[in-house]
Amino acid sequence: MARSGGNAERDGAPLRPREDFFIAERPGYLLHKAGLLLLEDVEKALEAVGMRSRYFFVLASLAGGPELSQQDLSRLLNLDPTTVVTVIDEMEGNQHVERRRNPADRRRYNLILTDAGRAALAAVDSVVTEVETAFFGTLDDDEREVMRGMLDRMLAGRWPASVCSD
């Protein structure tokens, strides 16, 4: 993913959009643009170590508390269910994930991160952390925490039930 148009700078200082460029006043657009640029940076860094962001996001999603199904991951990561199946098949082939029947619903499989999957996640987690640190580098620690808190409030009630507490 290449950034189109390059980075606008004058004398080494980053430029901001003109006042009559109205879309730059829309918080939704700014959030969308920031997310795309961060994902682009993450993709580039992960590609250098032989991984894609989808693979990383699945590893990271499965490393936490709840056991998730392919359907849960599809909803959580906003991925087409067939894409999730393809990623899980690849991960299973790499012995990073195993499918186990859900005891409450025999039609579903829970996805379990293996020790090899945890090792793969540990190997690339620092890569993503470096990218995020650089991306959010213009914000101090307090500003990053305020932003995380605002995003947490905005996303409340919009998570799949499978990742929420009772």
Side-chain angles (χ1 to χ4, degrees):
M1 295 178 150
R3 287 191 181 161
S4 58
N7 297 323
E9 291 186 6
R10 183 174 297 129
D11 300 325
L15 295 177
R16 290 187 164 53
R18 301 175 349 188
E19 287 186 28
D20 64 346
F21 188 63
F22 298 120
I23 196 167
E25 296 176 12
R26 310 276 322 172
Y29 172 76
L30 295 174
L31 189 59
H32 173 73
K33 180 72 172 169
L36 289 174
L37 293 172
L38 177 56
L39 182 60
E40 183 179 302
D41 292 350
V42 166
E43 285 281 355
K44 186 184 296 183
L46 286 174
E47 185 179 314
V49 296
M51 189 175 284
R52 294 178 327 279
S53 62
R54 279 185 251 196
Y55 200 105
F56 170 78
F57 292 145
V58 171
L59 284 173
S61 296
L62 296 177
E67 290 185 354
L68 302 175
S69 68
Q70 290 174 179
Q71 296 86 355
D72 294 330
L73 282 175
S74 177
R75 285 187 293 275
L76 177 66
L77 301 176
N78 292 334
L79 292 173
D80 182 86
T82 57
T83 300
V84 172
V85 169
T86 301
V87 173
I88 297 302
D89 286 347
E90 178 184 355
M91 296 176 86
E92 200 171 37
N94 293 335
Q95 298 181 335
H96 291 162
V97 168
E98 67 179 65
R99 290 174 169 108
R100 290 188 192 156
R101 287 246 184 237
N102 181 320
D105 182 350
R106 302 286 295 158
R107 296 167 297 169
R108 292 172 56 110
Y109 287 92
N110 291 337
L111 303 170
I112 309 300
L113 199 60
T114 65
D115 289 342
R118 290 187 190 287
L121 177 60
V124 296
D125 188 62
S126 62
V127 171
V128 175
T129 298
E130 281 181 40
V131 170
E132 290 176 343
T133 299
F135 189 83
F136 295 109
T138 59
L139 304 176
D140 64 33
D141 290 344
D142 290 338
E143 290 171 319
R144 282 192 294 272
E145 187 54 34
V146 166
M147 183 183 67
R148 197 210 58 73
M150 289 188 304
L151 291 169
D152 180 55
R153 287 192 310 275
M154 287 188 299
L155 294 172
R158 295 179 173 260
W159 293 96
S162 57
V163 299
C164 295
S165 331
D166 294 333

